[in-house]
C-alpha cells in the first residue's frame, strides 16, 4: 500500500515512516502543506496520513481542496488531543478517520488497513484477469483456483497492473508506485519481479505481457 505521510514534526515522521515501512507499507513523506497538496493532486496514493498543523497550507485546508476536486483517496488526520473542534470539522470535511498524538504505529497501520478496506468495499474488492484473481480485502491471490503466495512487493506490482487491464505501464511508473522515488529508474527490479510473478502464476502468468521498448501490461479479458 502506497502512503503519503504529511507531518512536519521530524521525530513523529521518522517514527511513523520506519514503523509503517517495517509493516510493508511504501511511505512517502513531506513536511509542508503546499507541497503535500501538490503531491496529493498529482500522484496516486492508496491513502494519506495528514497532520492538521503544518507550515504553509494547514491540513484541513488541504483536505477541503482535495475533496473539492473530487478525489476519494482515504485520508486519516493526525491531531492533538485538544483539537476536538478541528477533528469534528475534519470528519465533516471528508476525513475517513483521525488519530490523536501520541499514537502507536500499530494502531495507525490498523486504521490504514481499515480505511483501505472500506474504500475497496465501496469499489472493487476482487480483481480478475483470466484465471488469476486478487482479493484486495484478504490479499489472497489465486491462479486457476490455487492460492499463490506472493511477497508484499509482488502483490503490489500485480495489483497495480491488474487495476487497469490493457493499460501499458512503463518501468519508471511501476518503480514509482511500488518502490518509491528513491529507487534508481535504471534498476532491473521490475523485470526481476515480473519474471517471479510469471513463474509463481504458472501458465497463467503469460497474461502479463511485455511491450517491447515500453514496459508491461495485463491482457484484457477476451484478448
Amino acid at each position: 500500500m502506497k502512503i503519503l505521510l504529511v507531518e512536519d514534526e521530524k521525530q513523529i515522521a521518522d517514527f511513523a515512516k520506519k514503523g509503517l515501512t517495517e509493516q510493508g507499507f511504501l511511505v512517502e513523506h513531506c513536511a509542508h502543506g503546499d507541497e503535500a497538496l501538490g503531491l496529493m493532486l498529482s500522484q496516486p496514493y492508496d491513502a494519506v496520513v495528514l497532520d492538521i498543523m503544518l507550515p504553509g497550507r494547514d491540513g484541513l485546508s488541504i483536505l477541503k481542496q482535495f475533496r473539492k476536486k473530487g478525489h476519494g483517496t482515504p485520508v486519516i488526520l493526525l491531531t492533538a488531543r485538544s483539537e476536538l473542534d478541528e477533528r469534528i470539522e475534519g470528519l465533516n470535511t471528508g476525513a475517513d478517520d483521525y488519530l490523536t498524538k501520541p499514537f502507536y504505529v500499530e494502531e495507525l497501520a490498523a486504521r490504514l488497513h481499515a480505511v483501505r478496506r472500506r474504500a475497496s468495499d465501496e469499489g472493487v474488492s476482487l480483481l480478475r484477469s483470466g484465471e488469476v484473481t486478487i482479493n484486495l480485502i484478504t490479499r489472497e491471490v489465486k491462479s486457476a483456483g490455487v492460492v499463490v503466495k506472493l511477497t508484499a512487493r509482488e502483490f503490489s506490482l500485480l495489483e497495480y497492473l491488474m487495476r487497469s487491464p490493457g493499460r501499458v505501464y512503463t518501468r519508471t511508473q511501476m518503480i514509482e508506485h511500488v518502490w518509491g522515488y528513491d529507487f534508481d529508474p535504471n534498476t532491473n527490479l521490475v523485470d526481476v519481479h515480473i519474471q517471479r510473478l510469471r513463474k509463481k502464476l504458472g501458465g497463467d502468468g503469460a497474461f502479463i505481457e511485455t511491450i517491447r521498448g515500453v514496459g508491461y501490461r495485463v491482457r484484457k479479458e477476451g484478448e
Side-chain angles (χ1 to χ4, degrees):
M1 191 187 305
K2 187 176 180 180
I3 303 298
L4 177 64
L5 171 64
V6 186
E7 171 59 67
D8 64 318
E9 295 183 52
K10 186 176 185 307
Q11 187 175 5
I12 294 176
D14 289 347
F15 147 80
K17 183 174 182 179
K18 181 175 184 293
L20 290 175
T21 301
E22 288 174 350
Q23 297 197 35
F25 292 88
L26 176 61
V27 183
E28 288 186 18
H29 168 243
C30 79
H32 195 279
D34 296 329
E35 180 189 357
L37 181 59
L39 287 170
M40 289 166 66
L41 293 177
S42 62
Q43 303 298 325
Y45 296 103
D46 296 310
V48 177
V49 179
L50 179 62
D51 189 21
I52 289 181
M53 299 298 293
L54 292 167
R57 191 183 289 267
D58 67 81
L60 291 177
S61 172
I62 292 170
L63 181 59
K64 286 177 185 173
Q65 285 297 312
F66 191 55
R67 293 293 187 238
K68 186 177 180 181
K69 291 184 178 294
H71 293 273
T73 304
V75 174
I76 295 178
L77 290 177
L78 296 180
T79 74
R81 291 190 182 282
S82 60
E83 295 172 333
L84 175 60
D85 291 342
E86 290 181 335
R87 292 203 298 270
I88 294 172
E89 183 181 356
L91 291 171
N92 288 333
T93 301
D96 296 86
D97 201 353
Y98 70 86
L99 195 58
T100 56
K101 302 178 190 177
F103 56 84
Y104 292 102
V105 73
E106 291 81 2
E107 183 178 4
L108 176 58
R111 288 175 184 263
L112 282 167
H113 284 304
V115 296
R116 180 66 175 155
R117 278 197 302 271
R118 288 204 295 270
S120 296
D121 287 343
E122 291 167 1
V124 178
S125 61
L126 190 69
L127 304 178
R128 178 186 297 278
S129 183
E131 295 295 320
V132 178
T133 60
I134 294 181
N135 189 315
L136 300 178
I137 298 175
T138 64
R139 297 179 66 80
E140 184 179 68
V141 176
K142 290 184 178 179
S143 178
V146 178
V147 174
V148 179
K149 298 294 184 183
L150 300 182
T151 65
R153 297 289 194 216
E154 290 166 352
F155 183 94
S156 296
L157 181 58
L158 185 61
E159 176 190 353
Y160 186 51
L161 291 169
M162 287 183 62
R163 280 188 177 276
S164 298
R167 176 177 173 178
V168 179
Y169 290 98
T170 67
R171 290 172 176 79
T172 299
Q173 287 175 314
M174 288 184 273
I175 286 174
E176 288 177 354
H177 189 87
V178 178
W179 284 271
Y181 291 98
D182 295 335
F183 279 82
D184 179 359
N186 296 315
T187 180
N188 66 345
L189 268 177
V190 170
D191 303 295
V192 170
H193 278 71
I194 291 289
Q195 288 176 15
R196 290 178 182 168
L197 279 174
R198 285 171 171 161
K199 185 175 180 180
K200 288 187 175 182
L201 296 172
D204 298 311
F207 79 110
I208 304 176
E209 297 181 331
T210 302
I211 307 301
R212 189 176 298 277
V214 183
Y216 296 95
R217 73 165 191 162
V218 160
R219 194 165 49 223
K220 280 184 176 180
E221 290 282 351
E223 286 187 342

